[in-house]
Amino acid sequence: MTRSADMHVLLTGRTGADERDAWLRALREAAPSLTWWSDNDGDVPRELITAAVVANPAPAALAGMPNLRLVQSLWAGVEGLLADGTPPAQVPLARMDDPAMSASMAETALWAVLSLHRRFFDYAAHQAALDWRQLAQRRAGDVGVLVLGLGRLGGAVAMRLAAQGYRVSGWRATPADRAGPAGIAVQAGPAALAGLLAASDIVVNLLPLTPATRGLLDARFFAALPEGASVINLARGAHLVDEDLLAALDSGHLDRAVLDVFHTEPLPPEHPYWTHPRVTVLPHVAALTDHRSAARVVVANLHALRDGAPLAHLVDRARGY
Ligand code: NDP
């Protein structure tokens, strides 16, 4: 077993200097006995690095590290890492699974669902037009919410919405041979999707971005929703076909969209989403990383590596998430 003082860990990524320094501070505080290196150190002893902690690393950032035994992502979504092949194929890749992030995501989803259900976006528009108008009010239990993806984030969202009284169903990839979150009606696989959509007033997307889910939210998907439904995308911009969403909104088939993620970020100033009266734009803030909490998650995995214990949150590269 390698002693912790012997473990050299590299923090690498194309983040700003402030972000890098915030991570280093949090990681050093969580594991002072490990030897930490970062891109800021000119003389990283690459042959000694046993683990790399990465956030959007440069393509060659992990080359020439013969002792590398773990690549730990600071991000929950790892589609970029899988696409550019930065983590060597034989080295385990772990993703971020931070309880603080799941809690933030559940808050954002709850705000968006509640605002749609209780028409608070409409009331904000009415206020801008000095328009005093009372709209019909539904009970939470009469509102069907479908959560796409019941993983770390989607699972937390589904439970939070169910606790708030919504009629929540969930969709995932693998057949329901294991229990889903309590109180959530779970279905799996492509054949189940149309039926779930037909019964949903609001859809919350929390799928990972994979070849099977890229562009899933398209014209056919929107057509399967009942008239007046709304869409909340908190996962990745490339899940959504923008022109199809705009067409479904402009035809009146869909009521509203709440979007946190986009094909190009920052969202370009000329993009129609910015000024669309029934689109709410957030600047990818649905669940920001909590450095202290995430550092503890990272360090738990580094200690598992050191101790020869099972690694957590490993990515299944064949599956893509
Ligand atoms: P997980 O990997 O934990 O969960 C993925 C879920 O999606 C699983 O339930 C899985 O099914 C399901 N799934 C995967 N592929 C399919 C498919 N083809 N059909 C149906 N279901 C499928 O992901 P997370 O919860 O960690 O992340 C969800 C998303 O949130 C990601 O896109 C991530 O990038 C994004 N994200 C967004 C942030 C933001 O601030 N906006 C912040 C952090 C993450 P099964 O259970 O059967 O495996």
Side-chain angles (χ1 to χ4, degrees):
M1 188 206 300
T2 316
R3 290 190 16 208
S4 78
D6 297 329
M7 245 182 96
H8 290 255
V9 185
L10 173 67
L11 170 68
T12 181
R14 286 168 288 181
T15 59
D18 288 352
E19 178 71 358
R20 180 196 61 220
D21 293 345
W23 275 118
L24 260 187
R25 263 196 311 279
L27 290 164
R28 283 201 167 113
E29 197 178 307
S33 64
L34 302 183
T35 304
W36 291 97
W37 300 88
S38 83
D39 295 333
N40 207 27
D41 300 309
D43 53 346
V44 175
R46 302 180 77 80
E47 68 292 350
L48 292 182
I49 300 295
T50 35
V53 177
V54 304
N56 192 22
L62 304 180
M65 295 182 182
N67 289 311
L68 188 65
R69 289 190 287 132
L70 172 65
V71 177
Q72 169 70 56
S73 172
L74 289 174
W75 291 4
V78 290
E79 71 279 357
L81 285 172
L82 292 176
D84 72 12
T86 304
Q90 74 286 2
V91 178
L93 168 64
R95 29 155 300 172
M96 179 49 62
D97 178 2
D98 175 7
M101 186 180 261
S102 301
S104 306
M105 188 59 90
E107 288 166 2
T108 303
L110 178 58
W111 159 79
V113 168
L114 198 51
S115 302
L116 290 166
H117 154 218
R118 294 293 311 277
R119 317 270 309 251
F120 295 134
F121 294 121
D122 294 317
Y123 287 121
H126 294 178
Q127 179 176 353
L130 314 184
D131 182 4
W132 177 281
R133 187 157 28 126
Q134 294 180 334
L135 302 171
Q137 190 170 297
R138 281 183 300 172
R139 295 180 186 181
D142 292 337
V143 178
V145 185
L146 171 62
V147 181
L148 303 175
L150 286 178
R152 284 84 166 183
L153 301 174
V157 162
M159 285 190 289
R160 187 69 181 264
L161 294 172
Q164 203 64 34
Y166 293 105
R167 183 166 48 78
V168 181
S169 52
W171 186 60
R172 69 181 179 207
T174 46
D177 55 352
R178 59 204 157 90
I184 316 297
V186 181
Q187 294 194 49
L193 185 57
L196 287 168
L197 291 173
S200 304
D201 301 295
I202 299 173
V203 179
V204 183
N205 178 34
L206 278 164
L207 290 165
L209 185 61
T210 69
T213 65
R214 183 178 290 274
L216 181 78
L217 280 66
D218 63 0
R220 204 161 68 126
F221 179 102
F222 301 132
L225 284 164
E227 192 160 337
S230 294
V231 170
I232 301 170
N233 188 17
L234 306 176
R236 285 291 183 261
H239 284 128
L240 192 62
V241 180
D242 290 343
E243 312 78 68
D244 291 358
L245 176 65
L246 289 164
L249 288 165
D250 293 340
S251 72
H253 180 65
L254 289 187
D255 181 23
R256 283 191 171 272
V258 179
L259 307 176
D260 182 55
V261 285
F262 304 91
H263 283 266
T264 303
E265 295 180 6
L267 186 64
E270 67 280 8
H271 200 289
Y273 285 153
W274 277 118
T275 50
H276 197 288
R278 284 183 289 122
V279 174
T280 298
V281 169
L282 294 176
H284 201 142
V285 290
L288 291 179
T289 307
D290 177 315
H291 291 92
R292 271 183 311 155
S293 169
R296 283 197 293 272
V297 174
V298 169
V299 165
N301 239 7
L302 295 175
H303 285 164
L305 180 71
R306 175 198 68 191
D307 299 340
L311 297 169
H313 322 308
L314 290 179
V315 173
D316 179 338
R317 291 179 190 236
R319 213 172 52 162
Y321 63 97

